[in-house]
Amino acid sequence: MNLKKAKSRMRHRKIVILMIMSLCLLGCQSIKNTPKTETIRYTENQKSRLATVIFQEFASKNGLLSTNLTNRKNEYLAESMGLLMLYFIQTNDKTNYMKSFQAVKQSLILPNHLISWEIKEGKRSDTNALIDDLRLVKALDLGARKWGNKEVKQLLSKTIDANKAYTMYEDYFVDFGSEQSENRAKEITLSYAAPSYYKRMQLTPEILEKNIEVIQNAPQDANGLYAKKFDIQTKTYQFDDTVHMIDQLLTARNVQEIKSTSKFHQLLKEKMKKDGKLYGQYNRKTLQPVVRYESPAVYSYAIFYSQAVKDKTLEKAINKRMNQLKNHHKNTQYYGSYIAKNGETHIFDNLLPLLTKGGWVR
């Protein structure tokens, strides 16, 4: 073999080695971004047909819940798991609670101990959503107090510390966080700002008061609707021209923890009395619906709000309308759920009605 051929082969080998190393690196990165998929199966509760359908139709092998049954079947949201864990606390179901805990731990926890808000195309988002983390902190805290599991307590502590480190700006909680301060939000959506959540976050009295004041001072317009966000840099509140009823109901529920929400309460009663239903979105100034759909999730939060203001008449009317949206066809696989015959639905439109049976989980 001459020297020229030998050098050519050496260069070829180096290129092959570099290619193999690159593929290995990409593979390692892919593994890092792709959560584990240990099989987790929930034990069905025959007392609730709705819960049975959720486990049968939405639960994946990794223990997470699909976002819907059509175009987002392989997408998973942290919000769903927080709601599911709260349901297991409601029903005193330690076995399923621990299964849902393991699903969260193996699939949604980021290296910095924030909770990825979404898994899409097999990969975790590298950011969180404050409301998801706060809800899971609540579920972890209640579960730890109820059953005393050390593993749950450890994740609770790490999640609290991570959010104080990465999901705060100028001592305010913000919509989403990151290790890089420039990638953090500079505003807080008022539907996220629940005083009862904040009180679980082990804040100093001064910082706790500062965050609670954001919701305590939330302004309302002439119709009784609340602002959408608080801008931390300008210290101003922002209203949207189109309001989402879920945001309004959650914000009102948050404010109700501190003071009266009588103006919003009156608006809600008037809407139910006049229309017999609640739509998903309204024009804030005219109060006319801008969509024609109704949502079991909206009705569920309206039930929680009605319970908070102790209005049993309103709660009964809302519950009656929500029940009319349920699948009542006994001979179908979706019977007892809020899934249409063609499979159209959203996981929240099934999880939240499930939770209304036990009331707001504290």
Side-chain angles (χ1 to χ4, degrees):
M1 181 187 298
N2 60 40
L3 183 61
K4 188 175 181 179
K5 285 185 176 180
K7 288 182 177 179
S8 176
R9 288 191 177 185
M10 286 294 293
R11 283 197 298 271
H12 179 71
R13 286 177 183 174
K14 286 181 179 180
I15 291 171
V16 171
I17 291 170
L18 286 170
M19 288 177 66
I20 292 171
M21 290 176 66
S22 297
L23 288 170
C24 286
L25 185 61
L26 286 171
C28 291
Q29 185 67 27
S30 176
I31 290 169
K32 182 180 178 181
N33 291 335
T34 304
K36 299 175 185 177
T37 54
E38 179 185 336
T39 299
I40 295 174
R41 297 190 184 282
Y42 297 110
T43 304
E44 293 183 15
N45 178 0
Q46 299 302 322
K47 294 181 181 179
S48 170
R49 171 63 188 170
L50 177 54
T52 296
V53 175
I54 288 173
F55 296 151
Q56 289 178 346
E57 303 296 334
F58 291 95
S60 301
K61 290 181 180 179
N62 57 11
L64 302 182
L65 300 180
S66 298
T67 300
N68 68 20
L69 303 180
T70 53
N71 61 324
R72 301 180 69 186
K73 188 172 179 62
N74 296 317
E75 296 179 21
Y76 312 99
L77 301 174
E79 183 175 0
S80 307
M81 298 309 294
L83 295 171
L84 183 64
M85 291 176 75
L86 290 174
Y87 171 68
F88 292 142
I89 290 168
Q90 267 191 357
T91 54
N92 199 32
D93 188 344
K94 181 180 180 181
T95 299
N96 276 329
Y97 175 88
M98 291 307 302
K99 289 179 180 179
S100 61
F101 166 76
Q102 291 300 332
V104 168
K105 189 175 180 182
Q106 74 175 3
S107 296
L108 293 172
I109 306 301
L110 295 168
N112 60 10
H113 291 104
L114 293 176
I115 298 167
S116 174
W117 79 276
E118 177 189 48
I119 294 178
K120 189 174 184 179
E121 296 179 353
K123 294 183 180 180
R124 289 185 297 225
S125 168
D126 61 3
T127 60
N128 74 331
L130 174 69
I131 185 61
D132 299 343
D133 286 33
L134 291 177
R135 188 180 287 108
L136 278 160
V137 162
K138 181 179 183 178
L140 292 169
D141 185 27
L142 290 172
R145 292 171 186 269
K146 192 175 186 69
W147 293 300
N149 184 280
K150 290 183 180 179
E151 207 177 354
V152 174
K153 290 179 181 178
Q154 288 172 355
L155 183 57
L156 169 64
S157 178
K158 289 177 180 178
T159 305
I160 288 173
D161 289 345
N163 274 273
K164 289 195 290 187
Y166 304 123
T167 322
M168 297 193 87
Y169 176 74
E170 294 184 0
D171 289 335
Y172 289 98
F173 281 114
V174 293
D175 283 357
F176 60 86
S178 167
E179 289 185 0
Q180 292 75 38
S181 59
E182 64 272 16
N183 293 334
R184 299 177 201 176
K186 305 296 188 298
E187 59 189 10
I188 177 68
T189 299
L190 298 184
S191 58
Y192 294 7
S196 58
Y197 286 156
Y198 289 165
K199 289 173 183 178
R200 299 179 189 276
M201 298 302 288
Q202 301 171 10
L203 303 171
T204 66
E206 295 77 18
I207 294 177
L208 176 61
E209 182 180 1
K210 186 175 182 178
N211 279 272
I212 288 179
E213 282 178 354
V214 171
I215 195 68
Q216 185 173 1
N217 298 329
Q220 291 173 276
D221 68 7
N223 290 320
L225 294 167
Y226 287 96
K228 175 72 178 292
K229 293 178 180 286
F230 176 70
D231 187 302
I232 292 164
Q233 293 178 307
T234 62
K235 303 296 186 291
T236 57
Y237 291 89
Q238 302 168 354
F239 285 88
D240 281 351
D241 292 334
T242 297
V243 297
H244 291 251
M245 281 308 294
I246 284 180
D247 279 331
Q248 288 295 311
L249 288 160
L250 278 170
T251 298
R253 182 67 182 78
N254 294 342
V255 174
Q256 183 64 32
E257 292 187 21
I258 303 170
K259 63 181 184 180
S260 170
T261 55
S262 57
K263 197 171 183 179
F264 178 82
H265 183 193
Q266 185 61 34
L267 173 64
L268 198 63
K269 288 195 295 183
E270 288 173 0
K271 279 295 170 189
M272 281 299 298
K273 184 176 180 180
K274 179 183 177 183
D275 302 329
K277 62 183 70 173
L278 297 173
Y279 293 99
Q281 300 176 40
Y282 289 87
N283 179 290
R284 183 169 62 84
K285 293 181 180 178
T286 67
L287 296 181
Q288 293 302 307
V290 297
V291 296
R292 304 311 300 176
Y293 70 80
E294 298 171 72
S295 163
V298 168
Y299 287 124
S300 297
Y301 281 125
I303 289 170
F304 291 139
Y305 174 76
S306 301
Q307 292 169 348
V309 296
K310 296 179 172 57
D311 188 337
K312 292 188 179 298
T313 302
L314 180 61
E315 179 185 352
K316 184 178 179 180
I318 294 169
N319 198 40
K320 180 180 179 181
R321 179 56 189 163
M322 182 174 74
N323 188 58
Q324 290 171 351
L325 302 181
K326 188 183 289 187
N327 187 318
H328 293 285
H329 302 284
K330 290 187 177 181
N331 296 325
T332 67
Q333 70 184 100
Y334 302 141
Y335 167 66
S337 72
Y338 294 87
I339 306 173
K341 290 181 180 179
N342 63 0
E344 287 294 332
T345 192
H346 195 291
I347 184 59
F348 304 145
D349 284 328
N350 292 274
L351 277 174
L352 283 160
L354 188 67
L355 282 163
T356 61
K357 302 304 177 185
W360 190 265
V361 184
R362 289 196 167 274

